Amino acid sequence: MFRISKKESFSKKEAISYRLIGFLIGIVLSGIIIAALGYPVIKTFISLAEGSFGSAIAIRNTISFLIPLSVTALGLSIAFKMRYWNIGGEGQILMGATAAMGVSMIMPASTPGPLMMIAMLLAGFVGGSVWALIPGFFRIHMKTNETLFTLMMNYLAICFVQYLYFELWKDPAKMGFPGIQDIPFKARIPYVSGVSLAIVAPLIIVILVFFLIKKTKLGYEIRVVGESEPTAHYAGMNVKKIMFVGVLLSGGIVGIAGAVKLMGSTGTLSSSLGGGAGFTAIVIAWLANLSAPMIIVVSFLIAALEQGAQFIQVRMGVPAAVADIVKGLILMSVLGSEFMLRYKVVVGAHGAKNKLDAIPSDKEEVHHVEPIVETKENAL
Amino acid sequence: MIGDFFSATGSLLSIVFSASFIASAIAFSVVMLFGTVGELITERAGHLNLGVEGMMLLGASMGYFAAVRSSSLFLAILFACVGAGFGALLYAILTVTLRVNQNVAGLALSIFGAGLANSLGSKVSNTSTPDNIAKIFKLKPFSLSSPSGPFLTFINKAFLSHNIYVYVAVLVAVVATVFLFKTRAGLELRLTGENTAAADASGIKVTRIKYFYIILGGMLCGIGGLYLPLVQQGSWTSNMTAGQGWLVVALVIFVRWHPIKAIAGAYVFGSLTILGFSVQLNERLSSIPIFNQYIMSMFPYLLTVVVLIAFSFRKKAWPGPKEIGRPYFREER
């Protein structure tokens, strides 16, 4: 038969080429599914590209998709580096935006615009990090499963914002219709030749995150915790503190994404402000292998896909949900291609050389059962 | 103040224990019950599949599509299984064979599944369930024609006036329990999820088992999802599972990986989900802030969080199948 063994090492070039192959497989599989749905494949892909890069407006729209996606993915990547499963991006975006909205509502109307903007961004950071630290606290101190906890926090945030939208912060000026007032005009991020200045946010944050992970002690500690918590512990690191700060930064940056979305595009708060960016950003972070500069590149591609999807829906009547098919399949095949990178498959090998490992099963032929390796390593 | 509290509690209890509330909570829990049993079987094989939402939507859209195009209930269920099973197969290839991290693979599946389901569903969004199928689910096979006395009337209205789908869901949970704890195959499944190496060493074909139960679990999620367009709503809406798939993942922990408890668990979650709507209709309660519809819609998620925290307090509590999250490979060193 065949058996699988771990590769000793792989080069960066190999890593990139396997990812590209995975990416292409994902595109091909998407094409097959799109064809099976009865839509013209080539035309759909061309229109996707045209809708995202084909004109100045298209590129601007792509950039406006890029901003929240990349900032969120950068934030999440810090948590993922620690193998802390922060699936709560959507909720942290919403709570960041909620905090920023709240600040804009309580600050006196005479506050200078830049001051209000800074206060709102800070509030966004605080809102996101508090929302992330609630599950973080229980994960750190009681080993509560953070995957599910952060996931639930998304829905709690959505319900909470709906409560604000329909009840507590309902704008009386809307004559009984639900909705929250707009933020003051001076707190809105200006546009320069059609591109929101909010684009500065991912550009600054990518540098900060890159620097944090690669060049600081905390970044090193975060990576060690991600490799192995016990190792970090034996090395004398304060794992709880590292994790606390990591979760705080992760949620805070995601919260900023929410505040920026509020100030740069929506102008008011609603439960759809996140628009699924919290989930899509998870895909981006993993496709980029948690590397900060790569996150910007991948965000651009995924943003193009989302923008292109709007375009094909209007132009060709192909549902925008097709973008999710492409997204999901690309992620699956890139992740799957990692396998070829990390393991090698030996066909026709005769199994273990060490006969001690071989124990007979109840069948007649002899199976070789090697001891399993305890490994934390899995996906990437 | 205290009087208010008691009278509010009284109103709440009278809602919760009314036959019509119980009946709608049961009807509402069908999707989650199928999903919970399916996800539970998957997790018993050592695989946490976060793609439940995607598989439910795949099952719902494919099954409903088949129902609309063929007017055949059999084909509807078959295609719900094919759609959700296909999603589960992708997940199995990724996590069992290619050793991809289970969390990311599950998330990829839920994104892919939602995308495919919403694309396909948009082709049948303006249609309703074919009459011949709708008729089957209008039947209440166990309903008493003339219940005598208030007790029987209550029982009849709350528990016996449901369509066949509801009872099948309960039956599936019972069968899964018997299978899991009373059969050799169930034992092999549990061993695989608890200690894959030991299962492998004892001659169990672990890869085959994992594939089989991941796909079976996915199919059950798909059948659960199909209930939404086919029976509950009678038409397709995009993303119609509305987060129930994620609640299912939480429910599995809530019921401690035990299918019989899933019946009660799904009922609790189902009733919490509809409680907000019911309370809104009651004037006395809807004026109290905590009984606000939007606050109450948080309850299922809050309950999940409380359960997660409560079990992390109990250090001796079984944390679920031990192989969850661990890729298994026979490696030569």
Side-chain angles (χ1 to χ4, degrees), chain B residues 74-312:
Chain B
F74 172 75
L75 283 181
I77 292 172
L78 181 72
F79 273 84
C81 289
V82 168
F86 170 68
L89 172 67
L90 291 181
Y91 171 86
I93 292 172
L94 287 172
T95 57
V96 180
T97 304
L98 300 179
R99 277 88 174 169
V100 167
N101 179 290
Q102 296 180 3
N103 286 346
V104 198
L107 284 167
L109 173 57
S110 47
I111 292 171
F112 165 74
L116 180 51
N118 292 332
S119 304
L120 185 68
S122 67
K123 291 177 183 289
V124 285
S125 57
N126 294 322
T127 50
S128 51
T129 306
D131 289 337
N132 63 326
I133 297 179
K135 218 158 59 185
I136 298 172
F137 295 113
K138 285 218 174 69
L139 292 178
K140 294 164 180 173
F142 299 108
S143 179
L144 306 172
S145 50
S146 53
S148 55
F151 179 71
L152 269 184
T153 312
F154 177 85
I155 294 289
N156 185 45
K157 195 174 174 199
F159 300 106
L160 299 177
S161 303
H162 293 285
N163 63 65
I164 190 76
Y165 222 116
V166 176
Y167 302 107
V168 171
V170 176
L171 184 69
V172 164
V174 174
V175 170
T177 311
V178 174
F179 165 77
L180 210 48
F181 298 107
K182 300 287 175 207
T183 66
R184 183 173 169 85
L187 181 70
E188 288 181 353
L189 168 61
R190 284 184 290 140
L191 179 60
T192 304
E194 203 61 36
N195 189 339
T196 310
D200 195 358
S202 70
I204 296 170
K205 299 237 180 314
V206 286
T207 306
R208 196 179 296 174
I209 284 209
K210 287 182 168 198
Y211 265 89
F212 182 79
Y213 291 107
I214 288 171
I215 293 171
L216 181 69
M219 287 177 169
L220 286 173
C221 292
I223 294 174
L226 178 62
Y227 180 79
L228 281 169
L230 198 68
V231 184
Q232 187 164 310
Q233 192 172 313
S235 62
W236 170 265
T237 320
S238 64
N239 284 321
M240 69 189 312
T241 46
Q244 290 194 60
W246 300 110
L247 281 179
V248 159
V249 179
L251 253 169
V252 173
I253 296 176
F254 183 59
V255 303
R256 313 301 297 152
W257 295 270
H258 201 305
I260 208 85
K261 292 182 191 163
I263 300 173
Y267 176 77
V268 169
F269 274 56
S271 57
L272 282 177
T273 313
I274 61 163
L275 195 57
F277 301 110
S278 307
V279 163
Q280 206 59 22
L281 301 173
N282 181 308
E283 276 180 31
R284 161 179 279 289
L285 287 176
S286 58
S287 60
I288 302 172
I290 189 156
F291 292 124
N292 180 281
Q293 184 184 351
Y294 304 100
I295 298 286
M296 295 197 81
S297 56
M298 292 184 183
F299 285 2
Y301 310 108
L302 277 178
L303 179 66
T304 307
V305 165
V306 169
V307 168
L308 282 174
I309 295 171
F311 280 113
S312 46

Side-chain angles (χ1 to χ4, degrees), chain A residues 37 144 148 155 370 372 379, chain B residues 101 123 246 253 312 328 331:
Chain A
L37 283 168
T144 307
L148 289 167
Y155 293 98
E370 293 88 19
I372 55 159
Chain B
N101 179 290
K123 291 177 183 289
W246 300 110
I253 296 176
S312 46
Y328 172 70
E331 204 211 71

Side-chain angles (χ1 to χ4, degrees), chain A residues 128-140:
Chain A
S129 56
V130 166
W131 210 245
L133 279 173
I134 297 170
F137 173 84
F138 287 100
R139 163 66 181 82
I140 291 164

Side-chain angles (χ1 to χ4, degrees), chain A residues 151-167:
Chain A
L151 186 68
M152 293 301 127
M153 294 303 280
N154 288 331
Y155 293 98
L156 288 172
I158 290 172
C159 295
F160 181 66
V161 173
Q162 278 174 344
Y163 174 63
L164 296 177
Y165 187 85
F166 288 102
E167 306 278 338

